[in-house]
Amino acid sequence: MCSDFGVPRELSELQKKRAEYQPELPPCLQGTTVRVEFGDSTTCADPSSTNVISRAFPHTFGQPLAHFLRATAKVPDAQIITEHPPMRVGVVFCGRQSPGGHNVIWGLYNAIKLYNPNSVLLGFVGGTEGLFAQRTLEITDEVLATYKNQGGYDLLGRTVDQIRTSEQVNATMTACLDLKLDGLVIIGGVTSNSDAAQLAETFAEAKCSTKVVGVPVTLNGDLKNQFVETNVGFDTVCRVNSQLISNVCIDALSAEKYYYFIRLMGRKASHVALECALQSHPNMLILGEEVALSKLTIFDITKQICDAVQARAEKDKYHGVILIPEGLVESIPELYALLQEIHGLHDQGISTDNISSHLSPWATALFEFLPSFIRKQLLLHPESDDSAQLSQIETEKLFAQLVEKEMNRRMKEGIYKGKKFNAICHFFGYQARGSLPSKFDCDYAYVLGYICFHILAAGLNGYMATVTNLKHPVNKWRCGAAPLTAMMTVKLYSRGPGAIPIGKPAIHPATVDLKGKIYELLRQKTSSFLMDDLYRNPGPLQFEGPGADAKTYTLSVEDQDYMGRIKKLQEYLDKVKSIVKPGCSHDVLKAALSSMASVTEVLSVMSKPSFNGHQPL
């Protein structure tokens, strides 16, 4: 394990300028008093999952929403916390590095020190392995000085991305007890926060006094639900990747002889690729969610790209840029089934060298059809969340080869009469995730860290720090906390032919909503992107001037602020109660009964479990 974590960085002049920036706090977090309003008890989005989740999390399911209030808010039943005894809090990076992660720690540190200077923040060095081994670094002003508004996770580092096995959970509880921690803040994505939920439940059952808090930090943008509008790092990664893509687009337009196949990091969901497409305007985006919905095969996708190449050639265009999300390989039905069979054989203890000889006949035929480099990559052991090692599977090279082969066939048969097809491949992932964070991610991460203290001050366990209304300026952001269990669903999985489907409550990655506004915006532009070369360069990250306060299309286009709407609904219900009281007129009562009967009937139908009580695989 590297021993250089927490060592001051040598900063460039630009980095020094960035380090001087002080993120803004929303009004509800200002001052030295914590004001919290609790809403109704929560459920989960899928009614068919409720019973399973409530049985698995009896101590933490159904907890209320928490809204943090500004000093001027007049809420009679709000809890006002003015006493702040010294607090000991631990923080750990649990997940892939994402720009802005350091600012979560900075915000948390400033909050606990503001409310009580004797409070202590301990960072676990080396991620979860450091947590298990109790390797800590006390966070101080000096330690933080060169990490404020900076990228990476090198203040503390990270290792494995899970706290799941009994041994890991017990080691975590032991660390919290030995270090006398009042709170443990886990910074990560869907897998890390699912583990945080289980940890909170285990601590509650064992009457461990340490409260567990999750923070939505992942560049993939897939930790999205009714409470979480976006994730720390998504804004930065999309901006950095979009500029790289734009540079490639201009290069393609200049030389007019290459097709660039660019694979983008983002796990199974295509959020990063979709946002980058809207920011940079490449010619094509192969969206994983469209492929899965239409059950497109490798050959379908190859034909789709070849037809586009041929259509452009008829306009004397022999260049282009095609975006491919790294999760595409798990969206293609035959490749996903092949991966499931391979992973099942891994589970049986069959060595990598022998897996190909144990595949079923159809899987063997597909496996042997694929290029040798793809075969080797598909055989890699799965990640800790049982998904394929998507960053290592070069889907862009696979399709570049298949398209070249098909275009050569068309040319030989006289179907295609244009110039020879030439492809260049790129994978954009690591280039962006260590970037300096955008102004938005600096602000968002800092505010989430501040909220973590408020959650702990309110004595809450098993919650995630949340901010809604994010597309508006910081002074209009709504800060709160939502139970991790309210974000869970139960999905059924089966691995290999004849396997029995199993389901476990978890926070699952949110895929691109093909009925959402952001997807509709892409659809409106698809044909013009394909044929008209409307390449757009959003430019480098800015902290000042034009573009500094720009938000992603993903955040700006969708109607969100779920927490605000929940509060609005409560206000309407309270208004109804204040009007319809014993002694009100018959007409008022009849109108209320008629309206409420209609509303409850509609809501009952909408809340019924779909898919015969199961979510689709």
Side-chain angles (χ1 to χ4, degrees):
M1 175 64 61
C2 175
S3 60
D4 292 337
F5 295 118
V7 173
R9 284 175 164 181
E10 183 176 345
L11 301 183
S12 67
E13 292 305 312
L14 174 63
Q15 287 178 299
K16 289 176 183 176
K17 184 70 174 176
R18 289 283 178 91
E20 293 172 359
Y21 173 71
Q22 176 61 53
E24 183 182 349
L25 283 176
C28 59
L29 299 182
Q30 295 175 9
T32 55
T33 299
V34 175
R35 296 173 174 82
V36 58
E37 177 191 9
F38 292 103
D40 293 330
S41 62
T42 53
T43 184
C44 57
D46 176 22
S48 67
S49 299
T50 303
N51 289 336
V52 177
I53 299 172
S54 61
R55 288 197 302 268
F57 295 87
H59 299 88
T60 53
F61 182 76
Q63 296 188 101
L65 289 179
H67 307 273
F68 297 109
L69 308 173
R70 63 176 69 197
T72 56
K74 292 179 172 57
V75 180
D77 56 349
Q79 181 180 340
I80 300 175
I81 304 166
T82 56
E83 297 294 324
H84 303 288
M87 187 180 290
R88 290 177 61 84
V89 180
V91 61
V92 60
F93 287 128
C94 183
R96 272 67 171 180
Q97 47 267 45
S98 188
H102 286 144
N103 273 32
V104 176
I105 297 177
W106 182 22
L108 173 58
Y109 172 79
N110 277 4
I112 69 171
K113 287 295 186 180
L114 173 68
Y115 285 87
N116 192 315
N118 295 320
S119 291
V120 175
L121 179 60
L122 298 176
F124 287 101
V125 175
T128 49
E129 286 188 359
L131 170 62
F132 307 147
Q134 301 186 31
R135 289 193 296 267
T136 63
L137 170 69
E138 183 173 350
I139 305 300
T140 64
D141 285 322
E142 292 73 27
V143 167
L144 278 171
T146 58
Y147 291 89
K148 297 174 181 178
N149 303 317
Q150 307 298 313
Y153 276 6
D154 51 316
L155 171 62
L156 298 174
R158 57 160 284 262
T159 47
V160 296
D161 301 317
Q162 65 176 40
I163 311 173
R164 195 168 312 145
T165 67
S166 297
E167 183 180 1
Q168 291 169 339
V169 170
N170 291 336
T172 301
M173 187 183 297
T174 299
C176 292
L177 293 172
D178 289 350
L179 296 169
K180 298 181 174 56
L181 297 184
D182 299 292
L184 176 63
V185 176
I186 294 175
I187 298 173
V190 288
T191 303
S192 302
N193 280 285
S194 292
D195 291 347
Q198 186 59 63
L199 199 62
E201 177 67 25
T202 303
F203 281 17
E205 184 177 4
K207 295 182 170 52
C208 173
S209 60
T210 305
K211 311 301 182 187
V212 180
V213 177
V215 189
V217 180
T218 170
L219 63 86
N220 306 321
D222 58 358
L223 206 178
K224 291 177 67 173
N225 50 53
Q226 58 270 46
F227 309 106
V228 182
E229 294 182 357
T230 191
N231 310 140
V232 173
F234 179 75
D235 182 89
T236 303
V237 164
C238 291
R239 287 170 180 269
V240 173
N241 277 336
S242 294
Q243 188 190 9
L244 293 173
I245 294 164
S246 300
N247 294 344
V248 171
C249 288
I250 298 304
D251 187 81
L253 186 61
S254 301
E256 294 189 311
K257 61 180 180 179
Y258 297 115
Y259 271 87
Y260 290 88
F261 287 69
I262 301 175
R263 179 166 52 102
L264 294 169
M265 192 173 274
R267 306 299 298 161
K268 186 167 184 175
S270 304
H271 298 293
V272 172
L274 173 54
E275 177 64 34
C276 289
L278 289 170
Q279 289 197 26
S280 60
H281 302 181
N283 299 105
M284 285 188 76
L285 164 63
I286 309 299
L287 203 65
E289 288 79 358
E290 285 183 326
V291 170
L293 179 67
S294 302
K295 295 182 170 55
L296 299 180
T297 66
I298 298 173
F299 305 105
D300 293 329
I301 298 169
T302 302
K303 181 180 183 301
Q304 191 178 88
I305 298 172
C306 289
D307 290 348
V309 170
Q310 189 158 339
R312 286 177 59 80
E314 290 170 3
K315 290 199 168 187
D316 204 30
K317 294 183 177 183
Y318 296 97
H319 62 277
V321 177
I322 300 166
L323 299 190
I324 296 174
E326 68 175 359
L328 180 63
V329 66
E330 288 193 337
S331 299
I332 301 170
E334 67 270 33
L335 286 181
Y336 180 70
L338 175 59
L339 278 167
Q340 290 296 292
E341 194 167 322
I342 289 171
H343 293 172
L345 294 170
H346 275 305
D347 289 345
Q348 295 174 31
I350 296 172
S351 68
T352 301
D353 293 339
N354 294 325
I355 281 180
S356 59
S357 62
H358 286 76
L359 292 172
S360 62
W362 76 267
T364 298
L366 174 59
F367 190 74
E368 291 178 352
F369 161 78
L370 297 169
S372 60
F373 71 91
I374 286 287
R375 293 202 296 263
K376 290 178 182 177
Q377 293 161 2
L378 294 178
L379 291 174
L380 294 170
H381 281 270
E383 302 274 17
S384 59
D385 61 356
D386 290 332
S387 64
Q389 291 196 40
L390 299 177
S391 64
Q392 304 303 314
I393 301 175
E394 297 173 304
T395 323
E396 75 283 13
K397 290 186 179 179
L398 170 64
F399 281 107
Q401 284 193 15
L402 293 176
V403 169
E404 182 176 15
K405 184 178 179 180
E406 172 62 13
M407 293 310 296
N408 288 342
R409 183 193 70 80
R410 293 186 183 190
M411 180 179 282
K412 185 177 180 179
E413 296 180 5
I415 302 171
Y416 170 67
K417 297 180 173 61
K419 296 178 182 178
K420 178 175 170 52
F421 175 83
N422 295 296
I424 297 176
C425 298
H426 294 287
F427 171 46
F428 292 163
Y430 302 101
Q431 300 93 328
R433 75 180 194 181
S435 168
L436 287 168
S438 65
K439 184 173 180 287
F440 173 81
D441 277 330
C442 287
D443 290 336
Y444 184 33
Y446 184 85
V447 168
L448 286 171
Y450 227 87
I451 293 171
C452 288
F453 166 78
H454 281 62
I455 294 172
L456 295 172
L460 304 179
N461 177 42
Y463 277 72
M464 179 182 287
T466 64
V467 184
T468 58
N469 219 29
L470 283 167
K471 65 183 178 181
H472 296 288
V474 176
N475 62 6
K476 296 186 182 300
W477 288 3
R478 301 178 191 271
C479 301
L484 292 164
T485 53
M487 305 176 190
M488 289 184 155
T489 53
V490 180
K491 290 188 178 182
L492 298 179
Y493 296 95
S494 59
R495 176 170 285 177
I500 298 173
I502 57 172
K504 183 182 178 183
I507 302 172
H508 290 98
T511 54
V512 171
D513 181 5
L514 298 183
K515 296 179 180 178
K517 290 185 177 180
I518 190 71
Y519 174 70
E520 182 58 34
L521 180 61
L522 176 73
R523 282 191 60 190
Q524 292 170 8
K525 297 175 178 290
T526 298
S527 59
S528 58
F529 283 1
L530 177 61
M531 301 305 298
D532 297 338
D533 294 348
L534 303 174
Y535 304 140
R536 173 182 182 271
N537 194 325
L541 293 176
Q542 302 290 328
F543 255 50
E544 299 174 348
D549 294 312
K551 307 286 172 65
T552 60
Y553 287 95
T554 305
L555 190 61
S556 302
V557 169
E558 298 289 357
D559 290 327
Q560 300 191 73
D561 193 18
Y562 181 87
M563 301 280 267
R565 289 176 177 178
I566 284 287
K567 286 197 69 176
K568 195 69 176 175
L569 173 62
Q570 190 61 55
E571 290 172 8
Y572 279 124
L573 294 175
D574 291 342
K575 188 73 172 176
V576 170
K577 284 182 180 180
S578 70
I579 296 172
V580 187
K581 289 182 176 180
C584 69
S585 70
H586 280 292
D587 289 340
V588 168
L589 181 59
K590 285 170 65 178
L593 284 173
S594 175
S595 299
M596 296 304 286
S598 176
V599 168
T600 52
E601 184 178 351
V602 170
L603 295 180
S604 296
V605 172
M606 292 179 67
S607 299
K608 284 181 180 177
S610 56
F611 302 101
N612 296 319
H614 297 306
Q615 292 221 348
L617 295 178

